């Protein structure tokens, strides 16, 4: 079995590798605006990797999702392999 999650942080950016189901709810307030984590399932792999509410999604599978439509990002995540690499911005 693959572990539930891995994370690396350089202070502002957090890189996680998580197994599906990821266990987060993403929201985009403005069309093509930042995509934020609004809920983390405590039993999901994202929680195990340290993803927090308020984190802003920057990349999926090393592809930038800044200025991308949420529906397209969700489809991209859905079509990704079982283990998904996500990069987030976290303000202090």
């Amino acid at each position: 079995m693959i572990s539930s999650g891995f994370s690396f942080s350089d202070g502002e950016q957090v890189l996680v590798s998580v197994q599906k189901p990821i266990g987060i709810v993403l929201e985009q307030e403005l069309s093509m605006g930042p995509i934020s984590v609004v809920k983390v399932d405590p039993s999901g792999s994202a929680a195990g990797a340290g993803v927090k509410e308020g984190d802003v999604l920057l990349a999926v599978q090393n592809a930038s999702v800044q200025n991308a439509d949420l529906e397209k990002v969700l489809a991209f995540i859905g079509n990704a392999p079982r283990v998904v690499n996500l990069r987030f911005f976290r303000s202090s």
Side-chain angles (χ1 to χ4, degrees), residues 1 3 7-8 11 16-17 25 35 40 42 44 51 55 58 63 69 71-72 74-76 81 83 90:
M1 178 171 161
S3 78
S7 67
F8 169 80
V16 298
S17 290
V25 176
I35 298 171
V40 180
V51 176
D55 287 351
L58 299 176
D69 177 68
E71 294 303 318
K72 290 182 180 179
L74 294 175
F76 188 50
V83 175
R90 179 176 295 157

Side-chain angles (χ1 to χ4, degrees), residues 1-17:
M1 178 171 161
I2 300 171
S3 78
S4 62
F6 163 81
S7 67
F8 169 80
S9 174
D10 72 356
E12 290 185 348
Q13 291 192 13
V14 179
L15 173 64
V16 298
S17 290

Side-chain angles (χ1 to χ4, degrees), residues 12-57:
E12 290 185 348
Q13 291 192 13
V14 179
L15 173 64
V16 298
S17 290
V18 291
Q19 182 176 336
K20 293 180 184 177
I22 299 169
I24 58 175
V25 176
L26 299 171
E27 183 176 87
Q28 185 175 42
E29 290 186 23
L30 303 172
S31 177
M32 310 300 266
I35 298 171
S36 300
V37 177
V38 294
K39 185 174 181 180
V40 180
D41 178 348
S43 63
S45 62
V51 176
K52 298 180 180 181
E53 291 180 11
D55 287 351
V56 176
L57 185 63

